[in-house]
C-alpha cells in the first residue's frame, strides 16, 4: 500500500505519522507512531548460535522445538505462556508474599481483584490453567456428555475427554479458513449449537466452553453481540457458559477496535462486561496477567465453589493457595490490573500487528486478520509439496529454527493428536506455525529479524522435508513427540 510519512509538531512535541489511502474507500487514513508504555530496567542476554550448531540441536531435539534447550534459542516465540516480563510493581509484590499455609493475605487480594476486574465472586487458585480445567471438568462433566466450544484447545479438550465428555466444535466456519478476514472468527455458530441440542438434548450438554481470543484459530476474538446471543440461548436451555479467559483482555481490545458501540469503552470495562455474561471461568494467568506461573477457577455459584474447594485440596493445595505461593498470587493480582490498561493493550497487540504487517506485505501466507497473541503462518500454503501427514507445520517450525535460531510452535496435525475413539490422526484444516509474542519482552528490532528470517525460509521452502514420528506420546503428543525427516 503506498504510504507517506509526515512530521509535524503538536504542543512542542514532534509527531511522525504515516498516511495512506485506504484500499476500500480511497479516503486518507492517518496512522500515528506509538511506543511501548514502559522503559527497560533490566535485560537478559541472549546469544546467537551457528547454523551448524542449530542443525545438531534440532536433530538432538527430534525436530520438536519444545525439546530444544532454551540457551540454544535466539528469539523465543514458542509461547506467550509464563514468559512475559513482570513490572517493577509485580516484583515488589513478590516481596510482599505472605507464605502462610492458610488464609494468606495475598489470596484475599487476588480474590478481590478477580471480583473487581472480572466480576466472578469466588476464586479457587490453581498452579496453572490446566489445573483449573481438571477440576472444572470433573465437577461438571459426566460420562457421555458433549461439550460444545468455539474450537478446541489441547489441554482443555483432553480434560473434557478424561472426564468422560466429547468436545464438539461449534465455531463459525470462517475460523477454519486462514484467508477469511471475518473480524470475529471466535464467534459461535448457532446452527451448529442447535443441531447438537437437537441431537443429544440439553441434559447431555453441561456447559458451552467459550474461549476469548481463540488460540487455535489464530488468536481470533468473539464479539460481544455473539456472546450476548449465546447468553440468551443458554438461559433458554438451562446450560452454563464456562469462559476460558486466558486471553480475555486481548479479546476486549479487539471488541473496542472492531465492534460498533464499544469504541468509547475502556478495555477494563469491556473485560468486565464479557466476564459478566458467563457463569464460571478457567484462567491460565501466565498469559494476559503476565505472571510466570499460576491460574485459577472462578465462578458465581456458591455450591459449585464449595465443590471446587473439595477437589482443589486433592489436586492442587488448600483453597486459599491452590498450588500457588503467596508471592505469586500477589504478582498475579497486580498483573491483572496492568493487563487491562488501554495503553498496555495497544502496545501489546500493536507489536503483533507490526510483525503481521511486515510478513503480509512480504507475501507470506498468514492467518487473517491479525490475532491477539501471535502471528500464525499457513504452513500448508508455504510448503505445498508436503502432505498433511508429513506434518508441514512441524517441519516449518524446525526449518525456521535452523535458519535463524527463532523458536516457534506447531499448531496443526501434531497438536490435534488422534481421535480418542477411533485412534485416527485428526487432520485439522488449519496447519499453522505460531510465532507467539511474549508480553513486554522483545523490541520491534526482534520483530524485524523475525520477519526477515521467515521470508528467508519461505524462499527455501522447496528444500524443507516432511517428518514422521519416531516417538509418539499417547496424550498431548506435541509436547514430547520426536521426529525424523522423511526420505522424500
Ligand atoms: N496455552 C500456549 O502456549 C501453553 C502450553 S499449551 C501449548 O498457548 C488456553 C486457551 C491456553 C492454555 C495454554 C491453557 C492451559 C488453557 N487455555 O498452560 O496450563 O492457551 O497454564 O493453560 C499455552 P496452562
Amino acid at each position: 500500500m503506498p504510504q507517506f510519512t509526515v512530521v509535524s509538531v503538536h504542543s512542542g512535541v514532534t509527531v511522525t505519522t504515516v498516511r495512506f489511502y485506504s484500499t476500500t474507500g480511497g479516503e486518507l487514513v492517518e496512522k500515528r507512531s506509538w511506543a511501548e508504555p514502559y522503559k527497560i530496567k533490566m535485560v537478559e542476554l541472549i546469544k546467537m548460535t551457528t547454523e551448524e550448531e542449530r542443525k545438531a540441536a534440532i536433530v538432538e531435539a527430534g525436530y520438536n522445538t519444545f525439546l530444544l534447550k532454551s540457551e540454544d534459542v535466539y528469539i523465543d516465540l514458542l509461547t506467550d505462556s509464563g514468559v512475559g516480563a513482570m513490572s517493577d510493581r509485580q516484583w515488589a509484590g513478590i516481596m510482599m508474599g505472605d507464605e502462610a499455609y492458610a488464609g494468606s493475605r495475598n489470596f484475599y487480594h487476588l480474590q478481590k481483584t478477580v471480583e473487581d476486574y472480572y466480576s466472578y465472586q469466588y476464586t479457587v487458585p490453581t498452579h496453572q490453567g490446566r489445573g483449573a480445567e481438571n477440576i472444572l471438568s470433573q465437577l461438571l462433566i459426566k460420562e457421555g456428555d458433549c461439550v460444545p466450544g468455539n474450537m478446541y484447545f489441547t489441554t482443555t479438550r483432553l480434560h473434557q475427554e478424561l472426564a468422560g465428555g466429547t468436545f464438539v466444535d461449534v465455531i463459525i466456519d470462517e475460523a477454519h479458513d486462514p484467508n477469511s478476514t471475518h473480524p470475529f472468527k471466535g464467534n459461535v455458530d448457532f446452527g451448529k449449537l442447535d443441531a447438537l441440542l437437537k441431537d443429544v438434548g440439553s441434559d447431555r450438554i453441561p456447559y458451552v466452553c467459550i474461549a476469548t481470543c481463540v488460540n487455535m484459530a489464530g488468536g481470533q476474538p468473539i464479539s460481544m453481540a455473539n456472546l450476548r446471543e449465546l447468553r440468551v440461548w443458554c438461559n433458554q436451555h438451562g446450560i452454563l457458559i464456562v469462559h476460558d479467559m486466558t486471553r480475555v483482555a486481548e479479546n476486549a481490545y479487539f471488541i473496542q477496535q472492531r465492534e460498533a458501540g464499544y469504541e468509547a469503552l475502556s478495555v477494563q470495562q469491556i473485560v468486565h462486561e464479557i466476564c459478566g455474561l458467563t457463569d464460571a471461568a478457567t484462567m491460565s494467568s501466565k498469559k494476559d496477567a503476565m505472571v510466570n506461573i499460576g491460574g485459577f477457577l472462578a465462578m458465581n455459584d456458591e455450591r459449585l465453589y464449595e465443590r471446587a474447594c473439595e477437589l482443589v485440596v486433592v489436586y492442587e493445595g488448600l483453597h486459599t493457595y491452590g498450588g500457588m505461593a503467596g508471592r505469586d498470587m500477589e504478582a498475579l493480582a497486580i498483573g491483572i490490573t496492568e493487563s487491562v490498561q488501554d495503553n498496555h493493550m495497544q502496545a501489546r497487540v500493536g507489536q503483533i500487528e507490526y510483525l503481521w504487517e511486515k510478513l503480509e506485505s512480504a507475501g507470506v501466507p498468514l492467518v487473517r486478520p491479525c490475532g491477539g497473541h501471535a502471528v500464525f503462518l499457513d504452513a500448508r500454503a508455504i510448503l505445498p509439496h508436503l502432505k498433511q501427514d508429513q506434518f508441514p507445520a512441524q517441519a516449518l517450525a524446525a526449518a525456521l529454527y535452523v535458519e535463524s535460531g527463532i523458536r516457534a510452535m506447531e499448531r496443526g496435525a501434531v497438536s490435534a493428536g488422534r481421535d480418542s475413539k477411533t485412534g485416527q490422526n485428526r487432520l485439522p484444516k488449519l496447519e499453522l506455525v505460531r510465532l507467539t509474542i511474549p508480553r513486554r519482552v522483545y523490541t520491534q528490532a526482534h520483530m524485524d529479524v523475525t520477519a526477515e528470517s521467515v521470508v528467508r525460509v519461505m524462499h527455501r521452502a522447496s528444500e524443507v522435508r516432511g517428518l514422521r514420528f519416531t516417538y509418539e506420546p499417547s496424550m498431548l503428543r506435541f509436547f514430547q513427540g520426536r521426529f525424523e525427516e522423511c526420505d522424500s
Side-chain angles (χ1 to χ4, degrees):
M1 180 181 302
Q3 52 184 40
F4 49 95
T5 303
V6 177
V7 179
S8 52
V9 178
H10 297 275
S11 313
V13 177
T14 305
V15 175
T16 308
T17 57
V18 176
R19 291 184 181 169
F20 54 90
Y21 290 97
S22 91
T23 43
T24 42
E27 75 276 14
L28 191 61
V29 178
E30 190 172 88
K31 222 175 152 185
R32 298 272 293 264
S33 296
W34 55 270
E36 292 80 0
Y38 53 81
K39 53 187 180 175
I40 296 165
K41 195 176 278 195
M42 186 189 279
V43 295
E44 179 182 340
L45 302 185
I46 51 179
K47 69 166 196 212
M48 185 55 158
T49 46
T50 65
E51 187 166 338
E52 281 316 300
E53 286 169 334
R54 293 193 295 274
K55 274 184 183 154
I58 200 74
V59 172
E60 171 82 23
Y63 293 85
N64 186 346
T65 52
F66 275 99
L67 300 180
L68 289 166
K69 291 186 183 133
S70 117
E71 62 182 10
D72 292 333
V73 173
Y74 176 43
I75 300 175
D76 204 346
L77 308 184
L78 182 74
T79 179
D80 61 332
S81 182
V83 291
M86 290 209 294
S87 67
D88 49 359
R89 286 161 203 232
Q90 286 179 288
W91 281 109
I94 291 271
M95 297 307 294
M96 301 295 284
D98 169 7
E99 306 306 342
Y101 187 89
S104 160
R105 73 170 166 265
N106 311 119
F107 165 72
Y108 295 107
H109 182 200
L110 173 62
Q111 188 175 48
K112 180 163 182 344
T113 308
V114 170
E115 187 170 3
D116 289 350
Y117 284 79
Y118 298 145
S119 85
Y120 303 112
Q121 234 178 314
Y122 302 106
T123 301
V124 181
T126 57
H127 74 285
Q128 59 184 81
R130 67 200 75 178
E133 289 169 347
N134 174 33
I135 293 170
L136 181 100
S137 302
Q138 290 201 37
L139 286 176
L140 294 183
I141 300 171
K142 56 185 189 316
E143 192 65 40
D145 278 353
C146 291
V147 186
N150 57 347
M151 203 173 271
Y152 87 100
F153 184 71
T154 52
T155 57
T156 320
R157 179 174 63 191
L158 181 60
H159 281 298
Q160 292 164 356
E161 288 175 352
L162 291 171
T166 302
F167 171 80
V168 180
D169 190 6
V170 295
I171 203 165
I172 56 173
D173 287 344
E174 287 88 337
H176 293 278
D177 173 5
N179 292 312
S180 161
T181 55
H182 193 296
F184 292 104
K185 282 168 125 177
N187 282 356
V188 167
D189 180 332
F190 286 92
K192 292 181 188 175
L193 211 44
D194 284 332
L196 177 70
L197 183 73
K198 199 166 162 219
D199 200 22
V200 303
S202 59
D203 288 353
R204 283 181 52 207
I205 305 178
Y207 61 91
V208 181
C209 182
I210 288 301
T212 32
C213 259
V214 182
N215 192 352
M216 302 303 281
Q220 303 292 327
I222 179 170
S223 72
M224 195 73 88
N226 189 260
L227 188 55
R228 247 191 259 116
E229 202 179 333
L230 182 68
R231 180 70 273 167
V232 172
W233 189 94
C234 286
N235 286 350
Q236 271 166 4
H237 302 291
I239 294 171
L240 300 175
I241 302 178
V242 173
H243 176 199
D244 180 342
M245 60 178 295
T246 297
R247 296 182 181 85
V248 65
E250 287 162 8
N251 198 118
Y253 177 73
F254 283 124
I255 289 177
Q256 185 194 60
Q257 299 298 310
R258 297 179 185 172
E259 191 163 351
Y262 284 90
E263 43 290 272
L265 266 64
S266 66
V267 168
Q268 184 175 334
Q269 288 168 316
I270 300 171
V271 163
H272 201 270
E273 187 174 336
I274 293 173
C275 297
L277 287 167
T278 69
D279 299 292
T282 54
M283 172 67 155
S284 168
S285 314
K286 301 166 74 177
K287 284 84 166 173
D288 252 9
M290 294 173 286
V291 287
N292 302 126
I293 193 72
F296 57 80
L297 182 60
M299 69 284 281
N300 293 319
D301 183 280
E302 194 180 355
R303 179 69 194 120
L304 186 64
Y305 171 65
E306 283 168 3
R307 291 172 58 217
C309 288
E310 286 169 16
L311 273 195
V312 78
V313 289
V314 180
Y315 295 103
E316 305 278 327
L318 190 69
H319 62 285
T320 54
Y321 77 86
M324 291 182 75
R327 55 179 171 269
D328 291 328
M329 291 190 280
E330 191 61 24
L332 170 54
I334 298 165
I336 290 170
T337 67
E338 293 178 3
S339 74
V340 296
Q341 301 308 314
D342 280 29
N343 59 0
H344 161 69
M345 206 41 76
Q346 276 154 13
R348 159 69 179 151
V349 179
Q351 188 169 47
I352 291 142
E353 283 169 344
Y354 177 86
L355 175 61
W356 189 92
E357 280 164 18
K358 272 192 163 261
L359 290 169
E360 163 88 346
S361 58
V364 178
L366 304 172
V367 171
R368 295 150 188 241
C370 179
H373 66 302
V375 174
F376 290 73
L377 311 178
D378 183 353
R380 232 201 282 250
I382 296 173
L383 305 178
H385 58 289
L386 298 187
K387 296 199 288 275
Q388 199 173 8
D389 62 4
Q390 294 178 306
F391 307 124
Q394 188 78 25
L396 185 61
L400 179 64
Y401 171 72
V402 172
E403 167 67 40
S404 60
I406 294 169
R407 168 155 71 169
M409 185 196 287
E410 186 268 3
R411 296 277 75 164
V414 177
S415 294
R418 290 177 183 274
D419 186 285
S420 58
K421 296 203 173 77
T422 65
Q424 293 300 307
N425 272 320
R426 295 178 172 117
L427 295 176
K429 290 201 177 109
L430 297 175
E431 180 69 28
L432 310 173
V433 169
R434 188 181 75 175
L435 302 167
T436 339
I437 313 300
R439 293 165 186 81
R440 306 193 291 208
V441 170
Y442 290 115
T443 65
Q444 306 306 67
H446 292 104
M447 299 301 109
D448 293 341
V449 171
T450 302
E452 286 163 21
S453 306
V454 170
V455 171
R456 274 204 305 273
V457 174
M458 201 173 75
H459 288 149
R460 292 175 27 197
S462 60
E463 296 166 25
V464 177
R465 283 156 63 179
L467 298 174
R468 62 174 159 248
F469 272 106
T470 55
Y471 165 61
E472 183 183 345
S474 59
M475 285 183 281
L476 300 178
R477 63 187 185 175
F478 59 94
F479 279 129
Q480 291 149 333
R482 303 183 71 84
F483 303 82
E484 64 185 5
E485 285 186 327
C486 301
D487 303 329
S488 57

